[in-house]
Amino acid sequence: ATTLRAAAVEKGRYFGTAVAASRLGDSTYTRILNTEFGSVTAENEMKWDATEPSRGTFNYSSGDRILAQAQANGQLVRGHALAWHSQMPGWAQSLSGSTLRSAMLNHITQVATHYRGKIHSWDVVNEAFADDGRGSRRNSILQQTGNDWIEAAFRAARAADPSARLCYNDYNTDGVNAKSTAVYNMVVDFKARGVPIDCVGFQSHLTNSAPGDYQANLQRFANLGVDVQITELDISGSGQADAYATVTKACLAVSRCTGITVWGIRDSDSWRTGANPLLFDANGNKKAAYTAVLNAL
Ligand code: XIL
């Protein structure tokens, strides 16, 4: 195959990208998007601040534009993200306790219902663990509503959209470490108690290389009976092309690794300003990293 999209499909996977609604009028952007990618994630447009700017008032206009252009081009859609401490609207940031819990669950129910049947996988909860080296939960206002907030979020999402794969998504969980092990233990617990979880997303915002145990880490989660997905891949630094190949091969080596999403198309589209961490340069030309991925698929 001569595109990432087709090469991934030949391996039974998807290859996707984050998309910004504001760039859909750029013909270079949409040409690459629709040729090279078989899945899309809204970079910001399905987040809490975008979809519920004031309490109980929902705005799906930008998210729906991304959905419509994906459907018109035969692409899967990953939903991102229903519950996250970041990019919460101001009104929600001012709540706490049971009021915030109710607002969060209502948000999940409303958004997952709006997109019901259209989303391949939802990042139900994003970045709930801390980077403290002890595997703690992040001390967010969502966490302060009670340690069971994550399972409550997953149950609400399942009720609203039974056909979506429900994912827990995080960063710095790409190798075996205290944070990824804490997520792992949560999945073990959820599976034992019947809390609905179908996949774990590994953001994989990397510098120079992937952790040496990247594939082993994916595999240990897959062995729990969940799919794994690489959800926000971008790699800066000197080892870029090799690291992209390593990540791609690791996913292909894990049968339950169902797809890879890169976090943007051109370096100029990246949230990591100046890092040039993506597969296409600012002019839309394929980089060495692109060829490394295509050859690895
Ligand atoms: C980033 C977007 O790329 C930026 O445009 C935005 O300003 C901030 O959020 N982890 C995530 C993504 O789960 O939602 C973040 O996306 C990057 C880190």
Side-chain angles (χ1 to χ4, degrees):
T2 57
T3 66
L4 303 173
R5 176 180 186 161
V9 167
E10 286 180 0
K11 295 291 168 72
R13 311 309 209 275
Y14 66 80
F15 201 94
T17 182
V19 168
S22 62
R23 297 184 202 270
L24 291 175
D26 175 334
S27 60
T28 302
Y29 185 85
T30 53
R31 173 180 55 78
I32 300 170
L33 169 60
N34 295 327
T35 305
E36 296 287 347
F37 298 98
S39 174
V40 304
T41 306
E43 187 172 0
N44 290 294
E45 293 80 352
M46 295 186 190
K47 292 172 180 176
W48 196 347
D49 59 354
T51 50
E52 195 180 1
S54 57
R55 191 174 183 179
T57 301
F58 291 83
N59 183 346
Y60 299 111
S61 56
S62 295
D64 286 357
R65 278 178 65 206
I66 289 175
L67 174 69
Q69 111 79 45
Q71 289 180 327
N73 291 283
Q75 292 156 325
L76 302 174
V77 180
R78 294 194 80 263
H80 175 79
L82 293 171
W84 186 25
H85 69 277
S86 184
Q87 292 179 273
M88 285 172 61
W91 64 265
Q93 292 179 45
S94 73
L95 303 180
S96 62
S98 60
T99 316
L100 176 58
R101 174 72 70 101
S102 301
M104 175 195 76
L105 294 176
N106 181 59
H107 178 77
I108 292 169
T109 299
Q110 296 296 325
V111 176
T113 299
H114 177 81
Y115 288 111
R116 174 184 215 138
K118 314 246 170 65
I119 301 295
H120 174 272
S121 302
W122 259 118
D123 292 328
V124 177
V125 171
N126 198 30
E127 302 183 351
F129 284 81
D131 294 295
D132 59 4
R134 291 182 279 114
S136 309
R137 291 284 184 86
R138 180 187 295 272
N139 181 17
S140 69
I141 57 174
L142 295 169
Q143 179 65 24
Q144 288 162 18
T145 73
N147 200 54
D148 63 343
W149 74 276
I150 299 179
E151 64 192 83
F154 275 85
R155 292 189 200 278
R158 178 71 97 222
D161 185 357
S163 64
R165 309 289 291 163
L166 303 184
C167 307
Y168 176 79
N169 192 52
D170 215 327
Y171 67 92
N172 284 349
T173 50
D174 310 304
V176 177
N177 57 42
K179 186 174 178 179
S180 64
T181 297
V183 177
Y184 178 92
N185 290 334
M186 179 184 74
V187 175
V188 170
D189 172 54
F190 281 12
K191 284 286 182 184
R193 292 190 296 112
V195 178
I197 185 168
D198 306 308
C199 58
V200 176
F202 300 85
Q203 293 185 8
S204 301
H205 297 294
L206 301 174
T207 300
N208 295 323
S209 63
D213 50 13
Y214 190 89
Q215 182 182 321
N217 190 50
L218 296 180
Q219 187 66 59
R220 72 170 175 153
F221 279 90
N223 290 346
L224 297 178
V226 289
D227 290 342
V228 294
Q229 302 176 356
I230 295 153
T231 53
E232 304 184 14
L233 181 62
D234 53 19
I235 309 174
S236 65
S238 57
Q240 182 177 69
D242 285 348
Y244 265 107
T246 298
V247 168
T248 303
K249 288 176 188 163
C251 181
L252 293 179
V254 175
S255 59
R256 292 198 75 141
C257 182
T258 59
I260 299 173
T261 298
V262 292
W263 205 241
I265 297 178
R266 300 163 299 197
D267 285 334
S268 49
D269 301 317
S270 174
W271 72 303
R272 294 172 67 181
T273 308
N276 298 324
L278 295 173
L279 302 178
F280 295 84
D281 69 19
N283 295 319
N285 297 311
K286 295 167 182 171
K287 296 166 57 182
Y290 171 94
T291 306
V293 172
L294 186 64
N295 288 343
L297 278 170

